[in-house]
Amino acid sequence: MKSHITDLIVQALDQLAAAAVIDSADLQTPLVERTRDPSHGDFASNVALVNSKAAKMRPRDLAAKLIEVLPSSELVAAVEIAGPGFINFRLADRAYASLIPEILRQGHDYGRSRIGAGRRVQVEFVSANPTGPLHVGHGRGAAYGAVVADLLEAVGYTVHREYYVNDAGRQMDILGTSVWLRYLELCGEALDFPSNGYKGDYVWDIAATLHREHGDAYRHAADEVFDGVPLDEPAGGDKEAHIDGLIGRAKALLGDNRYRFVFELGLNVILDDIRDDLGLFGVEYQEWYSERSLTESGKVNKVIDRLRESGHLYEQAGAWWFRSTEFGDEKDRVVVRENGQITYFASDIAYHLDKLERGFDRVIDIWGADHHGYVPRVKAALQALGADPSRLDVLLVQFAILYRGGQKAQMSTRSGEFITLRELRKEVGRDAARFFYVMRKCEQHMDFDLDLAKSQSSDNPVYYVQYAHARIHAVLRQAAERLVDVEPSDGAINLERLVETHELDLLKSLSRYPEVVEAAACNEEPHQLTHYLRELANDFHTYYNAHQFLVEDAALRDARIKLILATREVLRNGLNLLGVSAPEQM
RNA sequence: GCGCCCGUAGCUCAGUUGGAUAGAGUACUGCCCUCCGAAGGCAGUGGUCACAGGUUCGAAUCCUGUCGGGCGCGCCA
């Protein structure tokens, strides 16, 4: 609809350029928008305003010239100049009604497009460390990333969803050691658990599995384990040095193979839990990319060598630094620590280079907002390696604050830890959680009202939209009970009977859907879709209240059934893109 | 101190990339079921777009500064 109007304007502009009325070199691309005010018609263009300089004419005069040469169209009922020089278009009523057979024909494809032209885009999201279950902070990134990926797919991109698994590094060593220490306690060893260890219940669970299946096979005396380890913080020492010492003892006492076994057990149990959790949240990946595979394949070392050879690294105080300030970062960053270990940043450089080398046209990272300081150094590294940093977009998701009973509810009542995503899903359900998480744009701090998400009332936007869908099915069921024929006729038959204001408003909303999907996808803004669906549901509910669908007049009934079937299609398609169910009954 | 994000109705938030008279939901008030699901609809009240300058035909939107809130500034990840 919108593209049709744009075509008309472009043709008119070409005519004027050909007649040398305006200078084609200075032409601004015209913008066609939906009008906010119905008295301005259906669409408006600012083409005359933005090109008045190029034409050396007042906007209204240029608008008049454009209208003179504007090709006529069956879909356009009226064109007029308004305000400072806007050109307003009013569509013919039939222009909208012709949409219904189109929607019914396209079915679940209605709203999808090919503007992505099959370009390959990678979306990496969540990527939480497998050191514990996902919490509600990860939930927003999960929902947001999943919907952005689905939207991009809907507009024709080939999407590769990826989870970067931090299965190497110090945090994982801390987890493995935490599991082992809990295991030792289960064996009967008395010890002070390190203040920097992982204390969650899930660590006990993993330790119990180890103890149940392997008895005392991994047992060492507590005295032996803590021998020579620097003091912990509560004892007047340093908690980092303490935990590093314990990791060293674990590796020494268990040996490579047995240490690896404990480490892997912890990793696998938690990763399986995360996979399961995300699956139940409706989030699926094409690939789980292992950080360890990067180091083991030598890709990290290769990247460090390349940087060193090209003069982007220097040695200071025993560590190797990347000169990221050369590319606009605030300070230089360490890639190889004094003790010879590579930093997380080093493997992240290799990972991002690998993404670009895999041939994606675009790479999108979705991170928590607390990582924003990390963006310049990653882009700096890519630039230093001769890659194009503009192919990488980092989308930062702000935190969500949960409210229950008007109070902040960040801590779980059960464990005293952060509320897990699993607990949230149990409390409010998958549909509400998904919908609420993407209801706000990602850079907006979000207040997540748990009571509202749970409530089964019209106050709850999820129920409001789902109810519209269920209500349409209720009408169809009712028709079946009354043995009324609701099998819709083909094509545009009877659609001229749709003349009520409510019907035209509903049709207009249905016609907007592809534009909404496109805008939501191109701007990575799922909230545009949630807002649209609420408006569409409102149009339907209003219509429902104002008119009967199952009327005696068979032709009118047919037209109305076709309209609500088209509405059902769009509601279902939209909810589907959000990962929210479209129930037939509630 | 420096950097990033945010500031719009009592509350939660939109605002079509600079356009016409700033919009929803919620809350509050009053209406609407002998009628396909009232889990719904209609109407009303509610604004110095944080503040001050600047850019231009035109600013909630862009630039500068101030104030307020969040987050970052590690040889952690």
Side-chain angles (χ1 to χ4, degrees):
Chain A
M1 228 47 60
K2 189 168 156 181
S3 55
H4 178 69
I5 305 288
T6 308
D7 285 347
L8 297 178
I9 292 172
V10 169
Q11 286 180 45
L13 275 177
D14 287 347
Q15 278 231 26
L16 291 187
V21 178
I22 49 176
D23 185 353
S24 55
D26 297 329
L27 269 189
Q28 304 284 314
T29 44
L31 202 70
V32 174
E33 299 179 314
R34 296 265 173 182
T35 57
R36 303 174 197 206
D37 184 342
S39 71
H40 297 141
D42 297 297
F43 289 90
S45 176
N46 63 353
V47 59
L49 283 89
V50 293
N51 287 305
S52 69
K53 274 180 188 160
K56 301 193 176 69
M57 263 187 261
R58 283 192 303 242
R60 287 190 68 105
D61 295 341
L62 177 58
K65 289 261 185 216
L66 279 165
I67 289 176
E68 274 177 34
V69 296
L70 196 75
S72 68
S73 162
E74 290 188 337
L75 301 181
V76 178
V79 182
E80 56 194 23
I81 304 172
F86 289 102
I87 301 177
N88 291 341
F89 296 82
R90 191 175 306 280
L91 297 190
D93 289 351
R94 50 191 279 225
Y96 284 119
S98 68
L99 197 68
I100 292 180
E102 192 59 22
I103 295 173
L104 295 179
R105 190 183 61 76
Q106 292 188 33
H108 69 269
D109 282 335
Y110 178 66
R112 302 179 82 86
S113 65
R114 297 295 307 162
I115 56 173
R119 274 175 299 171
R120 296 178 63 215
V121 56
Q122 190 224 33
V123 183
E124 183 218 323
F125 58 111
V126 185
S127 299
N129 285 344
T131 54
L134 296 176
H135 55 74
V136 292
H138 299 121
R140 188 172 183 187
Y144 178 73
V147 178
V148 165
D150 285 358
L151 281 168
L152 288 170
E153 206 162 68
V155 298
Y157 284 89
T158 300
V159 180
H160 188 81
R161 301 163 184 81
E162 190 159 308
Y163 188 117
Y164 182 55
V165 183
N166 295 115
D167 52 5
R170 183 164 169 266
Q171 292 305 317
M172 285 307 300
D173 278 322
I174 295 176
L175 175 78
T177 302
S178 298
V179 168
W180 186 52
L181 292 171
R182 288 305 192 202
Y183 158 84
L184 294 177
E185 289 185 77
L186 291 173
C187 290
E189 297 293 332
L191 54 86
D192 290 326
F193 195 78
S195 55
N196 220 15
Y198 287 101
K199 296 173 188 153
D201 289 342
Y202 60 94
V203 178
W204 280 114
D205 294 341
I206 300 166
T209 301
L210 183 63
H211 187 243
R212 188 172 60 246
E213 294 177 3
H214 299 275
D216 283 357
Y218 293 82
R219 182 170 182 174
H220 288 265
D223 289 349
E224 201 184 357
V225 173
F226 282 78
D227 184 40
V229 172
L231 289 177
D232 200 0
E233 195 168 81
D238 177 57
K239 60 181 180 180
E240 305 289 350
H242 180 68
I243 194 82
D244 282 337
L246 283 171
I247 291 169
R249 292 300 289 157
K251 286 178 176 172
L253 291 169
L254 289 169
D256 283 349
N257 284 343
R258 289 196 308 157
Y259 178 79
R260 181 82 170 228
F261 183 84
V262 176
F263 182 101
E264 297 273 310
L265 178 67
L267 171 66
N268 290 332
V269 168
I270 290 172
L271 209 51
D272 283 348
D273 175 72
I274 290 176
R275 272 203 195 92
D276 178 61
D277 200 9
L278 287 172
L280 292 168
F281 198 44
V283 178
E284 300 289 346
Y285 290 91
Q286 274 72 51
E287 187 166 354
W288 296 70
Y289 195 102
S290 156
E291 177 187 7
R292 205 160 64 200
S293 75
L294 271 178
T295 43
E296 287 174 354
S297 68
K299 283 183 179 167
V300 180
N301 283 332
K302 206 148 89 187
V303 154
I304 292 172
D305 288 345
R306 271 180 66 181
L307 286 171
R308 191 184 286 120
E309 282 158 18
S310 53
H312 293 294
L313 298 190
Y314 62 90
E315 196 173 9
Q316 190 180 71
W320 283 91
W321 296 70
F322 167 52
R323 211 185 304 276
S324 55
T325 47
E326 204 174 305
F327 303 97
D329 196 9
E330 289 176 344
K331 49 176 293 190
D332 294 339
R333 311 291 175 176
V334 170
V335 287
V336 184
R337 291 161 67 184
E338 191 186 2
N339 63 10
Q341 288 190 326
I342 58 156
T343 59
Y344 174 87
F345 177 47
S347 41
D348 224 13
I349 295 172
Y351 180 46
H352 281 89
L353 183 67
D354 181 70
K355 289 187 186 193
L356 294 185
E357 285 177 344
R358 275 189 271 162
F360 295 111
D361 299 296
R362 279 185 74 194
V363 168
I364 297 176
D365 282 5
I366 293 169
W367 293 351
D370 53 335
H371 285 67
H372 67 79
Y374 205 73
V375 180
R377 76 188 72 164
V378 172
K379 294 215 169 208
L382 288 175
Q383 207 175 332
L385 289 163
D388 177 9
S390 71
R391 280 163 66 194
L392 168 69
D393 284 318
V394 182
L395 304 178
L396 299 168
V397 180
Q398 296 290 332
F399 296 121
I401 301 172
L402 268 48
Y403 284 86
R404 187 189 286 116
Q407 300 288 318
K408 280 188 189 181
Q410 281 301 60
M411 294 295 171
S412 162
T413 47
R414 188 177 58 81
S415 61
E417 295 166 357
F418 285 107
I419 299 176
T420 63
L421 179 58
R422 186 168 256 120
E423 287 171 314
L424 175 73
R425 214 161 19 73
K426 273 183 167 168
E427 181 169 348
V428 308
R430 167 180 154 175
D431 286 344
R434 288 284 300 244
F435 195 96
F436 271 60
Y437 269 133
V438 298
M439 217 162 39
R440 310 293 176 218
K441 52 184 175 197
C442 69
E443 65 264 35
Q444 182 69 248
H445 301 141
M446 181 171 80
D447 286 351
F448 191 125
D449 187 337
L450 292 167
D451 301 317
L452 181 60
K454 272 185 290 192
S455 83
Q456 308 210 349
S457 75
S458 59
D459 300 352
N460 185 340
V462 189
Y463 278 86
Y464 185 81
V465 176
Q466 289 181 319
Y467 179 45
H469 184 266
R471 222 177 191 185
I472 292 170
H473 279 271
V475 173
L476 300 177
R477 282 193 298 271
Q478 182 67 224
E481 276 176 34
R482 292 199 215 158
L483 302 173
V484 175
D485 181 20
V486 290
E487 194 56 41
S489 59
D490 285 340
I493 294 168
N494 296 326
L495 293 181
E496 71 284 352
R497 299 294 302 275
L498 300 175
V499 295
E500 301 290 344
T501 313
H502 294 104
E503 291 165 341
L504 298 178
D505 285 348
L506 185 53
L507 278 166
K508 198 178 285 189
S509 290
L510 293 176
S511 77
R512 278 174 54 213
Y513 179 66
E515 294 159 28
V516 171
V517 172
E518 183 180 325
C522 294
N523 299 305
E524 295 97 19
E525 291 185 341
H527 76 274
Q528 292 200 29
L529 185 52
T530 62
H531 281 91
Y532 166 81
L533 288 175
R534 214 208 167 275
E535 287 159 18
L536 179 62
N538 181 46
D539 287 331
F540 171 75
H541 288 310
T542 303
Y543 179 36
Y544 180 97
N545 265 65
H547 300 282
Q548 285 275 312
F549 307 143
L550 303 177
V551 290
E552 290 298 323
D553 181 341
L556 181 60
R557 185 174 71 232
D558 178 55
R560 289 183 170 170
I561 297 272
K562 289 209 276 196
L563 175 55
I564 65 170
L565 284 175
T567 305
R568 176 186 69 169
E569 210 68 58
V570 175
L571 285 169
R572 190 170 56 191
N573 290 354
L575 287 170
N576 190 37
L577 273 176
L578 297 173
V580 176
S581 69
E584 300 185 358
Q585 234 170 324
M586 298 172 70

